[in-house]
Amino acid sequence: MSAARQEIAVADTAQVPAAHPAEGAAVLSIIERMARDPNIDPDRVERFLVMAREDRAERARIAFNAAMSACQAELPRVLRDARNTHSGAAYARLESIAKATAPIIARHGFSLSFDTEPSPIQGNLRVTCTCAHEAGHERAYHLDLPPDTAGAQGKANKTPIQGIGSTITYARRYLVLQVFNIALTNDPHDTDGVPAGGNDDVISDEQAEQIRKQLTEHKIPPDRLLRFFGVESVPDLPANRFDEVLASIKTTVANRARQQEGR
């Protein structure tokens, strides 16, 4: 299955920090002269062409990293301005994320495009995101998620097509947040000019991975845990309740063991 590629940020072509167009023409001119010279080994022309490509790619990569650093320094925290009707968890809508961040992302020469492809995980959909920079470098990201056809109680609340659309929207939200390290906040007064990297409200990536491993190891569905803590996903769990989350998982495991022993 494939969804139409969608641009959420269009690069401003007024600023081009990488190679000037004239540079490419100059390289081609050198290659043409070398190719016409019968005294020059063709292998040498090929090696020169490879070196030129590698040099251009490296400078594009450096420009990408520099622009990403500058962009992240400007991005504000985005307000969680909506609430999941099934779980009660607050989240930031895709439209709100784009409105708060797209102009800054575009100003630094980035564009994002999305697509779908088969997932190696049975029953899941892979949503891909390509982050491209005007200098010529790009990076690929993806999320594998099941179709969102059921609510918090496990009851079907969407048609299969609606579930796929919901999954794609969910994935796009979190891919944008992931690519640019955008932080979320529940405070309407905490969104103006605060760098995304300074958010201490939610758990770290390492803590999120630790929780995921615990849930997977003990075969605990995350829905009840997320509803209890009032969040939409594991990365949204409050940092100051990390120990409480681990304790809750431990209690669930212990209760399950006692129930099995009592059978």
Side-chain angles (χ1 to χ4, degrees):
M1 175 176 296
S2 177
R5 296 175 72 85
Q6 303 176 51
E7 299 290 333
I8 70 163
V10 181
D12 178 4
T13 56
Q15 298 178 348
V16 183
H20 191 276
E23 178 184 330
V27 172
L28 287 176
S29 177
I30 294 173
I31 294 173
E32 288 175 359
R33 290 200 302 271
M34 293 175 67
R36 287 196 298 266
D37 190 339
N39 297 318
I40 296 180
D41 185 350
D43 289 341
R44 184 179 177 187
V45 177
E46 179 65 24
R47 289 196 299 271
F48 177 82
L49 183 58
V50 170
M51 290 174 59
R53 288 173 178 168
E54 291 177 348
D55 177 69
R56 183 177 181 84
E58 177 63 13
R59 287 187 289 111
R61 185 188 67 82
I62 292 173
F64 181 103
N65 290 338
M68 179 62 73
S69 178
C71 180
Q72 290 186 5
E74 288 189 35
L75 288 171
R77 299 182 185 184
V78 178
L79 179 67
R80 293 185 180 93
D81 60 345
R83 191 166 293 278
N84 188 301
T85 56
H86 300 285
S87 67
Y91 68 95
R93 296 177 300 160
L94 180 62
E95 298 89 337
S96 303
I97 295 171
K99 182 177 181 181
T101 64
I104 299 172
I105 290 171
R107 188 167 66 250
H108 287 277
F110 291 103
S111 65
L112 296 179
S113 58
F114 298 88
D115 207 344
T116 60
E117 62 184 43
S119 171
I121 303 174
Q122 186 175 4
N124 280 22
L125 176 70
R126 171 166 290 187
V127 180
T128 64
C129 172
T130 300
C131 178
H133 186 248
E134 60 188 7
H137 186 72
E138 64 181 36
R139 289 178 186 165
Y141 304 80
H142 70 266
L143 282 177
D144 294 289
L145 300 169
D148 179 26
T149 57
Q153 304 300 324
K155 298 180 180 179
N157 61 0
K158 301 180 185 71
T159 66
I161 293 177
Q162 291 173 330
I164 291 172
S166 178
T167 297
I168 292 173
T169 299
Y170 181 94
R172 288 178 62 198
R173 287 206 323 265
Y174 280 93
L175 282 167
V176 175
L177 298 177
Q178 173 186 343
V179 171
F180 292 98
N181 192 30
I182 299 169
L184 302 177
T185 180
N186 293 325
D187 184 355
H189 305 291
D190 190 30
T191 60
D192 188 12
V194 179
N199 182 28
D200 295 325
D201 297 334
V202 297
I203 59 176
S204 66
D205 291 341
E206 292 77 12
Q207 290 173 323
E209 184 61 24
Q210 183 178 346
I211 291 172
R212 290 193 189 99
K213 286 182 178 179
Q214 289 282 321
L215 294 173
T216 301
E217 177 183 350
H218 298 294
K219 298 180 180 180
I220 300 175
D223 293 353
R224 288 187 61 186
L225 180 75
L226 299 179
R227 286 201 307 273
F228 180 80
F229 288 94
V231 297
E232 191 179 22
S233 68
V234 171
D236 291 329
L237 286 164
N240 61 359
R241 303 185 71 181
F242 174 68
D243 292 338
E244 185 180 349
V245 173
L246 294 182
S248 175
I249 295 174
K250 186 176 181 180
T251 299
T252 299
V253 173
N255 289 340
R256 180 187 296 171
R258 283 196 294 268
Q259 290 174 359
Q260 292 176 346
E261 290 175 358
R263 289 179 179 176

